[in-house]
Amino acid sequence: MASSSSSTHSAPVSSSQSCKYDVFLSFRGDDTRKTFVDHLYLALVDRHIRTFKDDEERPQGESIRPSLSKAIEESRIAIVIFSKNYANSSWCLEELAYIMKCRDKRGLIVKPIFYDVEPSDVRYQKNKFGEVFAKQEAKYDNKAKLWRKVLVEVSNIAGWELKNIANGYEAQAIKKIVNNIQVSMLSDVDEGLTDENLVGMRARLKDLESLLEIGSDGVVRMVGIWGVGGSGKTTLATFICMEISHHFHSHCIVENVGEQSIKYDLKRLQEDILLAFSKKEVTVRSVMEGKTHIQSMLHHQKVLLVLDGVDKHEQLEALGGSHEWFGGGSRIIITTRDKQLLEAHKVDEIYPVRLLSHNEAIQLFNRYAYNQRDPIEDYENLSSSVVSYADGLPLALKVLGSFLYDKDNKEWLSTLSRLEDIPEAGIMETLKISYDGLKHVEKALFLDIACFFRGKRKDYAMGILEACNFHPEIGLKVLRQKALITILSNGTFDMHDLIEEMGHYIVRGEHPNNPEKHSRVWKDEDISNMCLGDTTMDYDKIEAMRYDNYSYDDTSSFFKIVSNMKKLRYLSVGSATSNLKKLRGPNFLSNELRFIDWKGYPTRRFPDSFKPMKLVVLTLENSLQKKLWKGIKHLPYLKVLMLIGMKKLLSTTNFDGLPCLQKLRLDDCYELEEMHPSLGNLMSLEHVSILDCDRLKTFPTIVHMENLKTLEIGYIHLKDGKIPSGIGELFNLQELNLSGNDFSLLNFSLSQLTRLKLLDLTDCVNLFKLPELPSSLTILKADRCHSLTTFGDCHKNCKWLCDVSLMGGGIIHDGGRLLESMLEAKSIDTHFMLLLLEGVEVAKGFRTLVRGNRCRLQLPEIWCNEFCGFLMCAMLTKSSYQSSYVEICVYQGMRNIDSQHNAAWNESDNGKYTWVGYVSFASLRLATWWDQTYKALSFDIYGNYMACRGFGVRLVKKSEESGLPETPTDSSSSSSSSSSSSSSSSTPKFKIKHEIPSRSMTITCES
């Protein structure tokens, strides 16, 4: 609860474990009890410094009470307030002697305050102080020597002379003294916060403290600490509070807000905050009233408030509503597993907790697990295995370390073996709190990712998750905000090992060894064991299954158990190793199925009873069906149908039953002879891909496919007149692939396809003339078109063409005109350009080519203003066409000249392929290498399998109307460099891969 936790956490860990009090006050009651000491005591308590003050009158006596000596022993600091009559009490002198004894024996910190006496009065027992001491000396001659000794010792300790602090103003003096006491206490905290005692905390505290900006007193800052359960959020918040609390008038920690608000209610937590800051009991009758009280009390106070373990937005609204609730300089720290709560509350900064590094994890684990008195054999290797399992999660390291502390070698090995199958329940239950806070659909989404899709690409999984009606776009955001999943830079799902294990733990539930009772089954071993069991039983608990490799031994049994899964919604089956021709397949499939991906389905059609009205995705690969099903199958939600390697498929289904189909893919269906004509009526289609279906000689009319964006009809060897003429009326078409066909001309116009970005005519060996290209086209591929020798005027309307490849075919005689046209495109000032051609016509017009793969460029004055980019040309040999990867290294200044690279390239130097690349200055300006004061540059070009016979670079003038201005080029040498910048998907894949400022830059190109 708030009030108690705030007081407890003011003390360092080492002391709070052994000391009951932070401060013990020693004073002469008659002099200061109701004045200075009372004010000092209240100031200390107000800072949550646990203070002992004896309020009983002290009788004259020979010794102090046992309760007082115990209080001194249980304190960290003793403050001795010397007043004129202090030495008039034998009790005070005895107390002082015991304090100094504890200082010598147990390191008690002693701090003297000289209230209305001089330090020299105490040291030499003179003036009024000496007079009263003389009376006690006369009474207790046997103790006087010791008392004189301790008075000298304590007067030599650095303390406070009240008249010299704050010009003698008591209130200000007390404030300074209390600040000093708190700093002194926190110095112990600093000593405790070493990596030896609290592994890795110091660096994280420093990061968090910088976000808190303690020095900016005029503003209120809210900082969230966000991370997975068990990652150290509470520990971090507690210790930062201990370290910085002396900067604030008062502070308070409200622990386990989420749990406490359920156990009690928010009104109780509001009352705790009010008590902690006001030291008075306040009754709150409603949450709204509590908000008003907190804001009214704290509006002008500089406070530190920690709200730990928040899991709902209403908790933040009730306990720390807004910045306006608090006085200038206040800091509010919130720990949570849910990033969205922090974003919605508009905190100033969010600190994501870093898990421990391997070395830090080893240190922390050793603190809990290493038994110095009875070390186990092979501890280093065994502990390393446990640390790998914990994967940097502090909670797991502490729990497992404590458990293994007193175990022998065999017990360690047994524990590690058990963890592979049965995770530690304490760890799982802590991690599960984040899962418990999810909505039902989010829980299902998380469990599917944990069981099936960790390590899979997001774009692959999204179709499946959408098919299962999990609304993944918003669901994934929630899971990321709760630190349950991450999406890596390469687009794959990931999560902490123990988070994944927690998902498996939830799925296995109370039946860890009975996969038939799980909602999800993904381990081949579990499914194989199910196949060996009773295949006639109902498997009505299973809703999702992936079986990657099923063998001949269990194939027929597998079909039987699948037939008994009445609630199955997701099914993924890998390639079978058995002879599918001998198998008939399942006699029943769940009508709840939303997603099917089956590799190696046998010859039998789907069962007649199979009516999956919710099916969204159906993918069959290397299956042996001649037909998918009998007659028309009404599948109102089917969006994706992919049939790949269906070697026996004779005809497609009637598409009239698939009104929502968006993607159709037919690849390598060698026996396919007929496409059902109903395909042309599907207005919902966005992507159609028909590739390598050799026997398919005609294609249905497609004029009604008004939403089609991608059309691929490739390697079917369609001749003139067989390509659907309706393509010219597909006004939303963006990508058209007609590669591998036998037509010589396109019998329709592309000019109306104003959204077309890509045209692929690769391997159209009879094509002798390109059609007029639409103005929107950016990419043209026509490699190995052997009959094609000219561009003609096909590109005259192109305003965005920037990637053209005509390699491996006929010699192109008018490539220069195409290059000029591309350099006049609208994108030239800001993007990239790539041109690949058979022949040397372009190179012959590039008069600055030199032999080899090195050249240099002398830059004119104000080159950045008059020109817009670098145009590079390379002549490649036949073998180099195998490579699709080119790397250009650019160096500042002139490199050493090799005489063999000084000669101009000519046609006899070989090199029959022309590579032309353009990089705009705009794409380089963000590179750290970029400097418009350069006077000269050197270029080298490399590539896999590349043999470059000639290379040159020139500048391209801005808004160039015609022709290509040239800049002198000669030879030089190279190396590599730094950063990254890439073009969009509709432009060539140029990247700045490496940069070394003022030295070099590497540009890569994938063609």
Side-chain angles (χ1 to χ4, degrees):
M1 305 298 288
S3 56
S4 59
S5 68
S6 57
S7 177
T8 298
H9 291 304
S10 295
V13 169
S14 59
S15 298
S16 65
Q17 291 173 344
S18 58
C19 294
K20 185 175 180 180
Y21 303 106
D22 296 316
V23 171
F24 178 93
L25 294 179
S26 176
F27 59 94
R28 179 71 170 112
D30 293 344
D31 288 351
T32 57
R33 182 189 306 280
K34 296 180 180 179
T35 54
F36 178 78
V37 169
D38 189 51
H39 299 153
L40 175 61
Y41 174 76
L42 290 176
L44 290 167
V45 171
D46 196 44
R47 294 286 185 91
H48 303 293
I49 297 172
R50 300 165 302 170
T51 305
F52 180 88
K53 178 171 73 78
D54 183 22
D55 284 324
E56 294 184 31
E57 292 295 330
R58 304 185 179 190
Q60 295 291 328
E62 292 287 333
S63 61
I64 62 174
R65 296 196 310 271
S67 60
L68 283 182
S69 59
K70 192 170 187 295
I72 294 170
E73 292 168 3
E74 292 178 340
S75 298
R76 298 171 58 196
I77 300 171
I79 299 179
V80 183
I81 298 103
F82 287 112
S83 57
K84 289 178 179 178
N85 291 303
Y86 184 90
N88 197 28
S89 167
S90 60
W91 193 301
C92 286
L93 294 171
E94 281 290 282
E95 189 175 88
L96 179 63
Y98 197 75
I99 286 172
M100 297 305 287
K101 180 181 177 182
C102 289
R103 177 177 182 258
D104 294 337
K105 285 192 172 184
R106 53 178 291 271
L108 175 67
I109 299 170
V110 179
K111 292 184 175 289
I113 297 176
F114 302 95
Y115 176 66
D116 54 3
V117 295
E118 302 280 346
S120 60
D121 291 347
V122 176
R123 186 178 302 118
Y124 302 116
Q125 298 91 51
K126 63 180 186 176
N127 296 328
K128 174 69 173 177
F129 188 89
E131 293 173 10
V132 298
F133 178 74
K135 294 178 182 178
Q136 295 302 319
E137 187 177 27
K139 279 187 180 182
Y140 304 101
D141 183 58
N142 59 328
K143 295 184 178 182
K145 185 176 180 181
L146 173 62
W147 291 345
R148 283 185 182 276
K149 178 175 178 291
V150 297
L151 286 171
V152 170
E153 287 177 357
V154 76
S155 65
N156 285 322
I157 297 173
W160 298 279
E161 193 173 353
L162 205 61
K163 69 178 184 179
N164 294 330
I165 306 175
N167 292 323
Y169 288 99
E170 269 195 20
Q172 291 299 316
I174 286 173
K175 184 176 180 180
K176 287 180 178 290
I177 290 170
V178 172
N179 284 343
N180 188 281
I181 294 295
Q182 199 159 33
V183 169
S184 176
M185 290 166 56
L186 291 169
S187 67
D188 289 348
V189 176
D190 287 340
E191 291 173 9
L193 293 181
T194 62
D195 280 347
E196 179 181 352
N197 295 318
L198 199 55
V199 176
M201 185 60 69
R202 172 50 57 197
R204 289 160 177 80
L205 283 172
K206 190 172 290 186
D207 292 341
L208 182 56
E209 190 169 352
S210 69
L211 296 181
L212 288 166
E213 297 183 7
I214 298 301
S216 54
D217 281 347
V219 298
V220 176
R221 282 183 69 79
M222 292 187 175
V223 173
I225 303 176
W226 168 66
V228 70
S231 58
K233 301 182 297 296
T234 299
T235 304
L236 189 60
T238 299
F239 278 91
I240 195 67
C241 180
M242 290 162 50
E243 185 154 280
I244 67 174
S245 59
H246 65 283
H247 292 285
F248 302 88
H249 178 258
S250 54
H251 69 279
C252 171
I253 297 178
V254 186
E255 296 177 323
N256 299 319
V257 170
E259 292 180 27
Q260 297 281 7
S261 62
I262 295 172
K263 186 176 180 180
Y264 304 104
D265 58 29
L266 289 172
K267 297 195 297 289
R268 171 71 176 273
L269 297 184
Q270 290 174 327
E271 288 174 349
D272 290 337
I273 291 175
L274 292 167
L275 173 62
F277 285 122
S278 71
K279 309 301 180 296
K280 297 177 182 177
E281 296 278 354
V282 180
T283 300
V284 173
R285 287 166 294 190
S286 71
V287 171
M288 183 57 69
E289 182 183 42
K291 291 181 182 181
T292 304
H293 282 326
I294 293 173
Q295 183 174 8
S296 176
M297 176 185 294
L298 302 182
H299 183 61
H300 296 293
Q301 291 190 43
K302 179 184 176 184
V303 298
L304 172 62
L305 174 62
V306 177
L307 301 176
D308 172 56
V310 175
D311 59 15
K312 287 185 172 58
H313 188 65
E314 55 262 32
Q315 296 160 9
L316 287 178
E317 288 292 312
L319 305 178
S322 69
H323 292 67
E324 287 71 29
W325 282 24
F326 306 95
S330 293
R331 296 294 181 266
I332 292 78
I333 299 172
I334 304 160
T335 77
T336 183
R337 305 179 185 208
D338 190 344
K339 188 178 183 182
Q340 194 274 335
L341 289 180
L342 301 173
E343 293 171 338
H345 201 60
K346 299 178 181 177
V347 300
D348 299 287
E349 296 284 351
I350 297 176
Y351 178 73
V353 177
R354 303 192 314 271
L355 296 183
L356 299 179
S357 68
H358 182 74
N359 288 338
E360 289 171 338
I362 288 285
Q363 292 176 50
L364 182 60
F365 182 72
N366 286 346
R367 285 192 57 209
Y368 288 88
Y370 184 64
N371 190 336
Q372 193 169 9
R373 289 176 295 180
D374 188 19
I376 64 166
E377 181 183 350
D378 200 24
Y379 173 83
E380 187 172 336
N381 288 329
L382 290 173
S383 62
S384 181
S385 297
V386 181
V387 167
S388 296
Y389 172 82
D391 197 19
L393 192 71
L395 170 71
L397 293 162
K398 293 175 184 178
V399 170
L400 294 173
S402 299
F403 174 76
L404 291 166
Y405 175 76
D406 57 353
K407 305 298 186 290
D408 61 26
N409 185 275
K410 289 182 180 178
E411 290 168 326
W412 274 66
L413 290 170
S414 176
T415 300
L416 285 168
S417 177
R418 185 177 70 179
L419 286 173
E420 293 179 5
D421 299 316
I422 308 171
E424 179 63 37
I427 300 170
M428 293 298 106
E429 290 300 324
T430 298
L431 295 175
K432 189 171 171 285
I433 293 171
S434 295
Y435 170 85
D436 291 337
L438 298 173
K439 296 177 181 176
H440 176 76
V441 68
E442 294 161 353
K443 290 179 178 179
L445 175 64
F446 166 73
L447 293 178
D448 268 20
I449 295 173
C451 295
F452 300 117
F453 302 121
R454 186 185 179 191
K456 303 292 185 183
R457 291 188 62 83
K458 177 189 172 185
D459 51 10
Y460 161 77
M462 285 296 280
I464 302 171
L465 300 171
E466 286 171 356
C468 293
N469 205 29
F470 288 159
H471 307 287
E473 281 294 346
I474 184 61
L476 291 177
K477 184 173 184 178
V478 171
L479 297 184
R480 292 174 75 179
Q481 288 171 335
K482 288 186 177 288
L484 289 172
I485 68 166
T486 57
I487 298 175
L488 302 180
S489 58
N490 63 0
T492 58
F493 285 126
D494 198 17
M495 61 181 63
H496 191 279
D497 289 344
L498 291 177
I499 294 289
E500 179 186 44
E501 188 59 48
M502 182 262 290
H504 297 174
Y505 170 82
I506 292 168
V507 169
R508 288 192 292 261
E510 298 177 358
H511 308 282
N513 299 317
N514 301 102
E516 67 275 7
K517 295 183 178 181
H518 301 165
S519 62
R520 294 156 178 82
V521 187
W522 63 95
K523 290 185 177 180
D524 287 357
E525 181 183 0
D526 286 344
I527 300 172
S528 294
N529 289 336
M530 288 165 59
C531 292
L532 296 174
D534 182 3
T535 58
T536 63
M537 66 182 292
D538 286 337
Y539 295 91
D540 55 358
K541 299 293 184 185
I542 298 176
E543 61 181 69
M545 179 169 63
R546 185 185 69 212
Y547 195 13
D548 288 332
N549 294 291
Y550 63 107
S551 64
Y552 180 79
D553 294 334
D554 59 25
T555 299
S556 58
S557 297
F558 175 69
F559 293 154
K560 291 178 182 178
I561 66 172
V562 168
S563 298
N564 291 325
M565 295 179 182
K566 303 298 191 291
K567 296 183 179 179
L568 200 62
R569 59 170 169 81
Y570 164 70
L571 177 62
S572 176
V573 182
S575 298
T577 57
S578 56
N579 186 348
L580 294 175
K581 293 179 181 179
K582 299 178 181 180
L583 301 170
R584 293 178 57 78
N587 56 33
F588 177 86
L589 284 172
S590 169
N591 287 325
E592 297 296 315
L593 277 163
R594 294 173 176 269
F595 181 95
I596 301 174
D597 181 2
W598 196 314
K599 296 176 178 65
Y601 194 90
T603 56
R604 186 179 182 179
R605 295 192 308 257
F606 286 122
D608 291 342
S609 62
F610 183 47
K611 298 176 181 178
M613 301 295 285
K614 301 174 184 177
L615 189 65
V616 178
V617 177
L618 173 59
T619 300
L620 297 173
E621 188 171 343
N622 298 326
S623 299
L624 298 181
Q625 295 158 300
K626 293 181 180 180
K627 285 189 175 182
L628 299 184
W629 44 69
K630 184 180 179 180
I632 298 178
K633 186 75 73 173
H634 185 57
L635 304 175
Y637 294 106
L638 189 69
K639 293 182 179 180
V640 178
L641 177 60
M642 296 198 292
L643 307 175
I644 302 166
M646 302 279 285
K647 297 176 177 58
K648 300 297 182 181
L649 189 69
L650 298 177
S651 61
T652 65
T653 184
N654 185 325
F655 295 100
D656 285 338
L658 313 178
C660 291
L661 193 66
Q662 295 177 1
K663 180 176 181 178
L664 173 66
R665 179 180 170 189
L666 299 172
D667 288 4
D668 299 323
C669 299
Y670 302 131
E671 300 294 324
L672 183 66
E673 297 178 350
E674 179 188 0
M675 295 283 295
H676 198 281
S678 58
L679 176 68
N681 299 324
L682 284 180
M683 298 176 64
S684 58
L685 275 170
E686 296 179 3
H687 183 119
V688 174
S689 177
I690 315 295
L691 300 174
D692 286 301
C693 299
D694 293 344
R695 295 199 176 187
L696 187 65
K697 299 305 177 189
T698 59
F699 200 86
T701 303
I702 60 174
V703 71
H704 296 298
M705 298 183 186
E706 58 188 41
N707 291 309
L708 200 64
K709 296 176 182 177
T710 299
L711 177 60
E712 296 181 302
I713 307 175
Y715 298 93
I716 301 178
H717 304 292
L718 297 178
K719 299 185 181 299
D720 288 329
K722 298 297 182 180
I723 296 290
S725 60
I727 291 176
E729 299 178 44
L730 300 175
F731 302 125
N732 286 308
L733 200 63
Q734 296 177 15
E735 297 185 11
L736 177 61
N737 178 3
L738 299 175
S739 56
N741 285 300
D742 294 338
F743 54 80
S744 59
L745 284 171
L746 288 179
N747 59 333
F748 54 86
S749 171
L750 299 177
S751 60
Q752 296 185 75
L753 304 183
T754 55
R755 297 186 179 183
L756 193 67
K757 301 292 183 184
L758 180 148
L759 176 62
D760 192 345
L761 300 170
T762 300
D763 289 321
C764 291
V765 294
N766 296 327
L767 182 68
F768 68 87
K769 183 179 179 182
L770 291 169
E772 182 179 333
L773 303 176
S775 60
S776 58
L777 198 71
T778 61
I779 302 172
L780 172 65
K781 303 292 183 186
D783 295 332
R784 298 181 294 281
C785 293
H786 297 289
S787 303
L788 194 62
T789 59
T790 179
F791 280 102
D793 294 326
C794 70
H795 53 81
K796 65 181 181 180
N797 295 320
C798 293
K799 302 301 181 185
W800 302 97
L801 193 61
C802 58
D803 188 350
V804 177
S805 179
L806 278 80
M807 300 285 272
I811 303 296
I812 302 299
H813 298 295
D814 53 359
R817 287 180 57 214
L818 173 65
L819 178 58
E820 290 182 21
S821 176
M822 292 174 71
L823 288 172
E824 293 170 4
K826 293 183 178 181
S827 61
I828 198 68
D829 285 348
T830 57
H831 289 88
F832 303 93
M833 188 194 78
L834 181 64
L835 175 62
L836 305 173
L837 294 175
E838 191 88 8
V840 298
E841 189 260 344
V842 170
K844 289 186 340 187
F846 209 98
R847 294 189 295 275
T848 56
L849 248 62
V850 296
R851 287 180 179 171
N853 67 328
R854 300 175 180 176
C855 71
R856 68 185 186 184
L857 181 66
Q858 189 73 44
L859 299 171
E861 294 292 331
I862 59 172
W863 55 278
C864 286
N865 297 328
E866 293 185 2
F867 299 89
C868 60
F870 299 116
L871 186 68
M872 299 165 282
C873 180
M875 294 308 301
L876 315 179
T877 61
K878 205 79 165 171
S879 63
S880 67
Y881 178 61
Q882 300 172 46
S883 172
S884 61
Y885 181 83
V886 172
E887 183 174 280
I888 302 104
C889 295
V890 188
Y891 301 86
Q892 188 270 326
M894 295 291 197
R895 312 284 284 180
N896 294 330
I897 299 174
D898 188 333
S899 58
Q900 71 179 24
H901 293 103
N902 200 26
W905 173 87
N906 60 60
E907 202 170 344
S908 64
D909 289 326
N910 205 343
K912 301 300 181 184
Y913 293 111
T914 302
W915 180 96
V916 179
Y918 168 81
V919 178
S920 68
F921 292 164
S923 64
L924 299 176
R925 282 197 169 94
L926 294 179
T928 56
W929 170 87
W930 176 264
D931 188 340
Q932 60 186 13
T933 64
Y934 290 153
K935 302 298 183 185
L937 296 172
S938 302
F939 296 77
D940 291 1
I941 187 167
Y942 303 96
N944 295 340
Y945 313 108
M946 172 173 279
C948 181
R949 301 305 183 190
F951 183 43
V953 181
R954 65 172 63 149
L955 296 172
V956 175
K957 205 159 193 174
K958 288 183 177 179
S959 304
E960 190 171 317
E961 295 274 330
S962 63
L964 295 171
E966 297 189 2
T967 309
T969 309
D970 48 21
S971 54
S972 155
S973 142
S974 119
S975 188
S976 28
S977 1
S978 96
S979 182
S980 74
S981 164
S982 62
S983 60
S984 67
S985 58
S986 60
T987 60
K989 296 179 181 177
F990 282 86
K991 290 184 179 180
I992 302 170
K993 190 176 181 182
H994 301 292
E995 282 185 84
I996 302 177
S998 303
R999 289 181 55 195
S1000 61
M1001 171 178 62
T1002 301
I1003 303 171
T1004 64
C1005 174
E1006 296 180 32
S1007 56

Coordinates of all heavy atoms in Angstrom, one line a residue, residues 316-344:
L316 N -4.9 5.0 -13.8 CA -4.1 6.2 -14.0 C -5.0 7.5 -13.9 O -4.5 8.5 -13.3 CB -3.5 6.2 -15.4 CG -2.3 5.2 -15.6 CD1 -1.8 5.3 -17.1 CD2 -1.2 5.6 -14.7
E317 N -6.2 7.4 -14.4 CA -7.1 8.5 -14.3 C -7.4 8.9 -12.8 O -7.5 10.0 -12.5 CB -8.4 8.3 -15.1 CG -8.2 8.3 -16.6 CD -7.9 9.6 -17.1 OE1 -8.6 10.6 -16.7 OE2 -6.9 9.8 -17.9
A318 N -7.5 7.8 -12.0 CA -7.9 8.0 -10.6 C -6.7 8.4 -9.7 O -6.9 9.1 -8.7 CB -8.5 6.8 -10.1
L319 N -5.5 8.0 -10.1 CA -4.3 8.2 -9.1 C -3.3 9.2 -9.6 O -2.6 9.8 -8.8 CB -3.6 6.8 -9.0 CG -4.5 5.7 -8.5 CD1 -3.7 4.4 -8.4 CD2 -5.2 6.0 -7.1
G320 N -3.3 9.5 -10.9 CA -2.4 10.5 -11.4 C -2.9 11.1 -12.7 O -2.3 11.1 -13.7
G321 N -4.1 11.7 -12.6 CA -4.9 12.1 -13.7 C -4.2 12.8 -14.8 O -4.3 12.5 -16.0
S322 N -3.4 13.9 -14.4 CA -2.8 14.7 -15.5 C -1.6 15.5 -14.9 O -1.5 15.5 -13.6 CB -3.8 15.6 -16.2 OG -4.1 16.6 -15.2
H323 N -0.8 16.1 -15.7 CA 0.3 16.9 -15.3 C -0.2 18.0 -14.3 O 0.5 18.4 -13.4 CB 1.0 17.5 -16.5 CG 1.8 16.5 -17.3 ND1 1.1 15.6 -18.0 CD2 3.1 16.4 -17.5 CE1 2.0 14.8 -18.7 NE2 3.2 15.3 -18.4
E324 N -1.4 18.5 -14.6 CA -2.0 19.7 -13.9 C -2.3 19.4 -12.4 O -2.5 20.3 -11.6 CB -3.2 20.2 -14.6 CG -2.9 21.0 -15.9 CD -2.5 20.0 -17.0 OE1 -2.9 18.8 -17.0 OE2 -1.8 20.5 -17.9
W325 N -2.3 18.1 -12.1 CA -2.6 17.7 -10.7 C -1.4 18.1 -9.7 O -1.6 18.2 -8.5 CB -2.8 16.2 -10.6 CG -4.2 15.7 -11.0 CD1 -5.0 16.4 -11.9 CD2 -4.8 14.5 -10.6 NE1 -6.1 15.6 -12.0 CE2 -6.0 14.5 -11.3 CE3 -4.4 13.5 -9.7 CZ2 -6.9 13.4 -11.1 CZ3 -5.3 12.4 -9.6 CH2 -6.6 12.4 -10.2
F326 N -0.2 18.2 -10.3 CA 1.0 18.3 -9.4 C 1.7 19.6 -9.5 O 1.6 20.3 -10.6 CB 1.9 17.1 -9.8 CG 1.2 15.8 -9.8 CD1 0.7 15.2 -10.9 CD2 1.1 15.1 -8.6 CE1 0.1 14.0 -10.9 CE2 0.5 13.8 -8.5 CZ -0.1 13.3 -9.7
G327 N 2.5 19.9 -8.5 CA 3.2 21.1 -8.5 C 4.4 21.1 -9.4 O 4.9 20.0 -9.7
G328 N 5.0 22.2 -9.7 CA 6.1 22.3 -10.6 C 7.3 21.5 -10.0 O 7.6 21.5 -8.9
G329 N 8.0 20.8 -10.9 CA 9.1 19.9 -10.6 C 8.7 18.5 -10.1 O 9.6 17.7 -9.9
S330 N 7.5 18.2 -10.0 CA 7.0 16.9 -9.6 C 7.4 15.9 -10.7 O 7.4 16.2 -11.9 CB 5.5 16.9 -9.4 OG 5.2 17.6 -8.2
R331 N 7.6 14.6 -10.3 CA 7.8 13.5 -11.2 C 6.9 12.4 -10.9 O 6.8 12.0 -9.7 CB 9.3 13.1 -11.1 CG 10.3 14.1 -11.5 CD 10.2 14.4 -13.0 NE 11.2 15.4 -13.4 CZ 10.9 16.7 -13.5 NH1 9.8 17.2 -13.1 NH2 11.9 17.6 -13.9
I332 N 6.2 11.8 -11.9 CA 5.4 10.7 -11.7 C 5.9 9.5 -12.6 O 6.1 9.7 -13.8 CB 3.9 11.0 -12.2 CG1 3.3 12.0 -11.2 CG2 3.1 9.7 -12.2 CD1 3.7 13.4 -11.4
I333 N 6.2 8.4 -11.9 CA 6.8 7.3 -12.6 C 5.7 6.2 -12.6 O 5.1 5.8 -11.6 CB 8.0 6.8 -11.9 CG1 9.1 7.9 -11.8 CG2 8.6 5.5 -12.5 CD1 10.3 7.6 -11.0
I334 N 5.5 5.6 -13.8 CA 4.4 4.6 -13.9 C 5.1 3.3 -14.5 O 5.8 3.4 -15.5 CB 3.3 5.1 -14.9 CG1 2.8 6.4 -14.4 CG2 2.2 4.0 -15.1 CD1 2.0 7.2 -15.5
T335 N 4.9 2.2 -13.9 CA 5.3 0.9 -14.4 C 4.1 0.1 -14.9 O 3.1 0.1 -14.3 CB 6.1 0.1 -13.4 OG1 5.2 -0.6 -12.5 CG2 7.1 0.9 -12.6
T336 N 4.3 -0.5 -16.1 CA 3.2 -1.2 -16.7 C 3.7 -2.2 -17.7 O 4.9 -2.0 -18.3 CB 2.2 -0.3 -17.4 OG1 1.1 -1.1 -17.9 CG2 2.8 0.5 -18.5
R337 N 2.9 -3.2 -18.1 CA 3.3 -4.1 -19.2 C 2.6 -3.7 -20.5 O 2.8 -4.3 -21.5 CB 2.8 -5.5 -18.8 CG 3.3 -6.1 -17.5 CD 2.7 -7.5 -17.3 NE 3.1 -7.9 -15.9 CZ 3.2 -9.2 -15.6 NH1 3.1 -10.1 -16.5 NH2 3.6 -9.6 -14.4
D338 N 1.8 -2.6 -20.4 CA 1.0 -2.2 -21.5 C 1.4 -0.8 -22.0 O 1.1 0.2 -21.4 CB -0.5 -2.2 -21.1 CG -1.5 -2.0 -22.3 OD1 -1.0 -1.6 -23.3 OD2 -2.7 -2.2 -22.1
K339 N 2.1 -0.8 -23.1 CA 2.6 0.5 -23.6 C 1.5 1.4 -24.0 O 1.6 2.7 -23.9 CB 3.5 0.2 -24.9 CG 4.2 1.4 -25.4 CD 5.1 0.9 -26.6 CE 5.9 2.1 -27.1 NZ 6.7 1.7 -28.3
Q340 N 0.3 0.9 -24.5 CA -0.8 1.7 -24.9 C -1.3 2.6 -23.8 O -1.7 3.7 -24.0 CB -1.9 0.8 -25.5 CG -2.9 1.6 -26.3 CD -4.0 2.1 -25.4 OE1 -4.3 1.6 -24.3 NE2 -4.7 3.2 -25.9
L341 N -1.3 2.1 -22.5 CA -1.7 2.8 -21.4 C -0.9 4.1 -21.3 O -1.4 5.2 -21.0 CB -1.6 2.0 -20.1 CG -2.6 0.9 -19.9 CD1 -2.4 0.2 -18.6 CD2 -4.1 1.4 -20.0
L342 N 0.4 4.0 -21.4 CA 1.3 5.1 -21.3 C 1.1 6.1 -22.4 O 1.1 7.3 -22.2 CB 2.7 4.6 -21.3 CG 3.1 3.7 -20.2 CD1 4.5 3.1 -20.4 CD2 3.0 4.3 -18.8
E343 N 0.9 5.6 -23.6 CA 0.7 6.5 -24.8 C -0.7 7.2 -24.6 O -0.7 8.4 -24.9 CB 0.7 5.7 -26.1 CG 2.0 5.1 -26.4 CD 2.0 4.1 -27.5 OE1 0.9 3.5 -27.8 OE2 3.1 3.8 -28.2
A344 N -1.7 6.5 -24.2 CA -3.0 7.2 -24.0 C -3.0 8.2 -22.9 O -3.7 9.2 -23.0 CB -4.1 6.1 -23.8

